[in-house]
Amino acid sequence: REYTPEDFETDVLQDSLPTLVHFYRSWSIGDQVMIAQVERLERSAQGVFKVGWVDVEKYPEMLTLHTRIEAPALLLFAGGKRIFQSEGVFDEADVCRDAFDAIRRWERRKMAGAAETAPE
């Protein structure tokens, strides 16, 4: 799924499911190769997170929404915040492992915060 500035807030930041977003340049052969890896990551996500893309040639302002990044980059968002980031060429297995680890840490923090605010 391709994200735009108009739907990023709702479909990524406000979604209850974490989202891995690949920021890419459509003209870059390296980025095109990485798209295939990102598509395989989506199959590995097993419903734990969803995957989408942002073409930074169409939407250059998307590079500075949450952090200063350079394409190609993968950012994982959960609970409205960036919880993982990988820039440049990446190893698919490493990113998948790191994304699952980041989601587990985020879920533990979320559960700890809910336990702290629960009425006694």
Side-chain angles (χ1 to χ4, degrees):
R1 173 170 201 303
E2 181 99 23
Y3 294 113
T4 67
E6 292 78 27
D7 62 17
F8 196 83
E9 177 77 27
T10 303
D11 294 348
V12 175
L13 300 178
Q14 294 177 8
D15 197 302
S16 61
L17 195 62
T19 305
L20 183 69
V21 182
H22 179 210
F23 292 81
Y24 74 98
R25 301 161 299 195
S26 58
W27 55 264
S28 169
I29 292 173
D31 286 4
Q32 294 300 318
V33 169
M34 289 174 57
I35 285 174
Q37 290 184 351
V38 173
E39 288 171 343
R40 286 193 298 274
L41 281 170
E42 184 172 27
R43 289 190 291 277
S44 299
Q46 304 169 356
V48 174
F49 61 90
K50 61 185 186 172
V51 176
W53 292 264
V54 171
D55 181 341
V56 298
E57 295 300 307
K58 285 187 203 172
Y59 309 110
E61 69 276 16
M62 299 286 284
L63 284 173
T64 57
L65 277 179
H66 297 277
T67 185
R68 295 196 72 63
I69 59 172
E70 295 289 326
L74 293 169
L75 275 67
L76 179 63
F77 296 91
K81 297 183 186 213
R82 176 181 45 89
I83 63 169
F84 169 76
Q85 178 173 325
S86 175
E87 289 184 66
V89 177
F90 62 89
D91 178 79
E92 178 184 334
D94 289 344
V95 167
C96 193
R97 182 195 64 237
D98 293 345
F100 278 109
D101 288 347
I103 290 169
R104 280 191 288 275
R105 286 190 306 273
W106 171 73
E107 287 173 337
R108 282 194 300 267
R109 285 191 306 268
K110 187 170 75 168
M111 290 177 67
E116 289 175 6
T117 59
E120 296 182 29

